[in-house]
Amino acid sequence: MLVAALALPAIGGLGITARNVATGFLNMPSELETPPPPQRSVILDRDGEVIAEIYDQNRELVELDDMAPVMREAIIAMEDSHFYEHGGIDIGGTFRAALRTLSGDVEGGSSLTQQYVKNVLVESADTQAEQEEARETTLGRKIRELRYAVALEQRMTKDEILEGYLNIAYFGDGAYGAESAAKHFFGVSADELNLAQAATLAGTVRYPYLYNPRLNPEDATDRRNVVLDRMVETGYITQAEADEAKATELDLDVSTPSNGCMPSKMPFFCDYVVQEIEQNERYGENETERARWLRTAGLRIHTTVDSDMQEAAQDAVDKWVPRRNESRKVAAEVLVEPGTGEIRAMAQSRNYGPDESNLGETSINFATDMNHGGSTGFQAGSTFKPITLAAALDQGMGFGTSYSSGNTTTITGQRNCNGGTLADWTLSNSGDTKGGSSHNMISGTKGSVNTYFAHLQADVGLCNVIKMAERLGIHRADGTSFDNDRTQANNSFTLGSEEVSPLTMANAYAVFASGGKLCEPQAITSIEDRQSGETIEIKPECEQVIDKDVAAGVSYLLQQTFNGGTTSGLEIGRPAAAKTGTTDGSASAWFAGYTPNLAGTVFVGDPRGPQNYPLRNVTIGDRYYSEVFGATIPGPIWQETMARATEELPAESFPSAPPQFGGTSQAPPRPNADEAANIEGGVPDVVGLSEADAVAALEDAGFEPNVSSARVPSGEAEGTVAAVNPDPGSELPRGATVNVFLSAGGGSEERSGDLPGGGLFAPGRLEDVDGD
C-alpha cells in the first residue's frame, strides 16, 4: 500500500492499480551484496611497523562494540529514531521524502537502513554510470532502495545494519566511517567519543560540507545542539546532560593520516611496492583494477624492508650527496638479502615529489628499472668485471690465468652471439693502474686492470660473458634484452658499458654471496585482503644458476680488493667482497659489495645524463672533487651503510677458495709459479697467542700474516689472537695471506668460522683505479 501511495501520484493517470504496483515492487530484485566499503591500505616494514598508508577514502572499519554508545544513540536519534521498531521503512519519513523527490527536491533516505542501502550502492558502483544511477533524484531510485531495505532487514540484524551504516557513512572533511571521523576531528578512537563529540559527528552526515566543524564551526555547533535536543526527546540523555554538552566548545584536534608515498620516510621503496602491485598481473586483470584494489581493499601489505637498514642507507647517501646539492648529482643505494632476493633497503638522495624543476626533488626511482618507476639505467663501469670472472671460472680457467698486455692493448676477432666478428678494439688502463707486466686473476681484479679483463673476455668469448650476465639476472634497465644490435656490437661489455639499475647489480652480486643462487628481487612477503578475508603469500623465487665453487671463486677474488686493491680502506669489520666501478671520463661511479648475508650497491651520477654532466671538477655538498671514482663517494656510502646494516647480522665467513682454481698467491705469476704453489703445510693454530708470537709463527710456516685493524668480540684475552682466516689447519700454498683478527674481549668463544676471510684488511687507502 505504501508503494502504491508513493507511485500513484506519478502514474495514476495511466490507470495502474495499487495492487499491480505492489506486486511489481515485490517482484523487484532484492538481493543486495554488502561488501566492506573502501578502506585504507597500509604498507608495513618487515617488523610490522607502518611505513605508508594509501587510500581513496580515509576509512577504518571497526565493530559496533568498538564505538561509544553515545555515538550509536546520537546517530539513531538524529537520523532514524524508530530504527529498532520498523522493518526497514519509516513510513512517514519515506512518504515525505518521496513527495519531495517528485517535486525535484532532495531528502535523505529516511530510515537508516535505506541510507545504508544507498551508500552501499554508491560505494559498490564499478562505473561512473552506476554511481550516477545510485545518486539520481528519481522515484525509481527511491523504490529500489525500499525493496533492498525490506530484504536487508530480513537477513541482517539491526546491530549489523547500524554497524554497516556507521562504517560507511561520510562525516565530511575526507573522513569516512565513525572511527576515522573520530580520529580526524578529535584525535580519539570511536569508542572514546564523549557526548558532545558524538553529537557533532552525528550532525554532519546529512550535509557533510555545511556542518563540517573545521570549515564551518558555528553551523556545526548549532547542528550539534539540535542533535542533543533530539537525544533528549528520544530519551537517550537528560536535559541536564544536553545543557552541559552544549556549554562545551567544539575542541577540535584535526589530523589526517598520510596518504601515499610522499609523506613516508622511505618514499622510493614505498613507490616500488606500489609499482609492484600495479604492474603485476597476479593482482588484477588491468592496471586500473589493480590500482583500485590497492586503494580500496584495506590491504595490509607486509614488505621486506628493514627500517634500521633503510635508515643507515638513507643517512649515508644524504651525508655524501646532499639532496639539494647544486651540482644536481644523485646517489642511490639498494640492499638485498642473498638467498631470498628480499630488498632490505632502497634509498636515494632526493626528496620524493612530482616537480622535477624543484632542486632535489624527483618521482623517478633511480635505484630500479624503468618498469618499476625507475630510469633507463646507467653504465655500471667495472662492477661488470666479476661477470667475466664468473664466466672464466665456469669454463675451468684458474686464478693463475695471466696476460701481459701493457697499459694499452688491442683486441681483435671477438665474435658476438650471432656469430658476427666485431671491429678491432683498442683500450687503455685508467688512473693509477699499470699494465706492463703480467697480471693474473687476483692481481688483475685487485687493480681492476682494463687490459687484463679485455683479454680475459676475449678468451672466454664475448657471447659467453653476455650469457653469464643473463644467468646472474642482469638486464638493461630500459627493459630491452642484451639480444640487440648495440649490445651484440659492444666490445667493452666487460667494462660495464650497458645501462643497468643499482637493484639489478645488488641482486647479481647476491648470487655470488649465496653460493650461486639467483632470486628474483622481492619487496612483498604477503598481502592481507581485509575485504575478501584472504591472504596472498609471496614466496622467494630462486634458482641455482652457477656452481657453488664458481661463486666461491668470485667471492675469493673480490675479497682481495680490500688487500691493497681498489677497495682498500673501505673495510667493515667482517668478511666482505667488493668491486668499484667508474665509467669512462668519470661519468658515473659505482660500488658493489657484499657479505655472506647482505649485498649492497651504490650509484652516484647525474640523472640529466652522466656523460654530459660528469663527476669531474664538481662540488657536492661542501666538498670539492677534481674527479670522482668508485672509492671516492660510492665506497664510503657503502662502507657506512654496511657497517650499520650488518650490526645485528652474524659475522659469517666466505667459503675457502676452491682448490681446482689453482694457487691463491696474490702476486703475479712467476716462471716457477707452479712449484711455488705446492702445498707444504696447513695454517698453524695461533688463536690465543699474542700478536707478535702469532705473526712469527705464521711467517715461520711460510705464510704472509695480515693483521686486521678491526678487533672482534671474543672469549680470548683482549689483544690476543681471536681467530685466523682461513681456519687453522687449512692447506694453502706458500706465500698465501692469512688474516689475523685480534680480540676485543667480551665476546663469545666462537673462533674463525664467523670471522672475516682472506685478504679483507690492509692498512692505508688506495684510490679507485678502475677504468671504463
Side-chain angles (χ1 to χ4, degrees), residues 39-41 43 52-56 259-261 270 274 294-295:
Q39 54 185 310
R40 298 197 305 263
S41 291
I43 300 177
E53 296 186 89
I54 297 180
Y55 55 88
D56 283 342
N259 187 7
C261 295
C270 170
V274 171
L294 170 63
R295 289 162 177 80

Side-chain angles (χ1 to χ4, degrees), residues 656 679 681-684 703 724-733 738 752:
S656 300
I679 303 301
V683 175
F703 301 112
V724 293
N725 190 282
D727 293 338
S730 299
E731 293 184 343
L732 298 176
V738 175
S752 60

Side-chain angles (χ1 to χ4, degrees), residues 463-485:
C463 185
N464 290 327
V465 175
I466 292 174
K467 289 181 177 178
M468 175 56 70
E470 293 173 337
R471 287 167 64 181
L472 296 172
I474 298 174
H475 53 269
R476 292 178 53 81
D478 62 6
T480 61
S481 73
F482 291 139
D483 185 17
N484 64 78
D485 292 341

Side-chain angles (χ1 to χ4, degrees), residues 32-33 35-38 56-57 117-135 168 292 296:
L32 176 67
E33 293 186 12
D56 283 342
Q57 296 181 359
V117 166
K118 177 182 177 181
N119 283 322
V120 168
L121 291 173
V122 170
E123 298 295 356
S124 61
D126 291 325
T127 65
Q128 183 68 29
E130 290 178 353
Q131 284 197 356
E132 292 174 357
E133 183 181 4
R135 290 191 174 100
I168 203 171
R292 184 183 182 201
T296 63

Side-chain angles (χ1 to χ4, degrees), residues 161-203:
I161 294 170
L162 181 60
E163 177 182 302
Y165 176 80
L166 285 169
N167 275 309
I168 203 171
Y170 180 51
F171 290 85
D173 218 32
Y176 291 80
E179 178 72 6
S180 294
K183 289 180 177 178
H184 173 69
F185 287 114
F186 301 110
V188 299
S189 295
D191 62 350
E192 300 172 312
L193 289 166
N194 60 36
L195 175 59
Q197 293 168 338
T200 301
L201 295 183

Side-chain angles (χ1 to χ4, degrees), residues 248-272:
T248 64
E249 301 291 335
L250 288 179
D251 195 22
L252 300 179
D253 183 11
V254 177
S255 65
T256 301
S258 61
N259 187 7
C261 295
M262 190 177 298
S264 173
K265 291 183 178 180
M266 47 190 83
F268 293 99
F269 177 79
C270 170
D271 183 74
Y272 185 90

Side-chain angles (χ1 to χ4, degrees), residues 308-381:
D308 291 335
M309 294 185 184
Q310 174 72 26
E311 183 180 3
Q314 192 65 59
D315 287 348
V317 298
D318 285 343
K319 171 184 173 181
W320 286 90
V321 185
R323 300 187 190 190
R324 295 175 59 84
N325 69 86
E326 294 292 337
S327 67
R328 297 183 179 270
K329 302 300 182 275
V330 67
E333 183 174 23
V334 179
L335 301 182
V336 172
E337 182 181 73
T340 65
E342 293 188 356
I343 301 169
R344 292 285 179 251
M346 182 176 284
Q348 68 183 34
S349 57
R350 283 288 191 273
N351 294 319
Y352 184 86
D355 192 347
E356 302 288 336
S357 65
N358 288 339
L359 182 65
E361 181 176 314
T362 186
S363 59
I364 299 173
N365 186 353
F366 298 113
T368 188
D369 295 340
M370 189 168 62
N371 66 351
H372 272 79
S375 71
T376 56
F378 307 93
Q379 292 182 348

Side-chain angles (χ1 to χ4, degrees), residues 229-249:
D229 288 339
R230 287 289 296 150
M231 293 181 74
V232 173
E233 292 175 18
T234 53
Y236 283 121
I237 60 173
T238 65
Q239 187 63 54
E241 290 172 324
D243 292 341
E244 181 180 356
K246 289 179 182 180
T248 64
E249 301 291 335

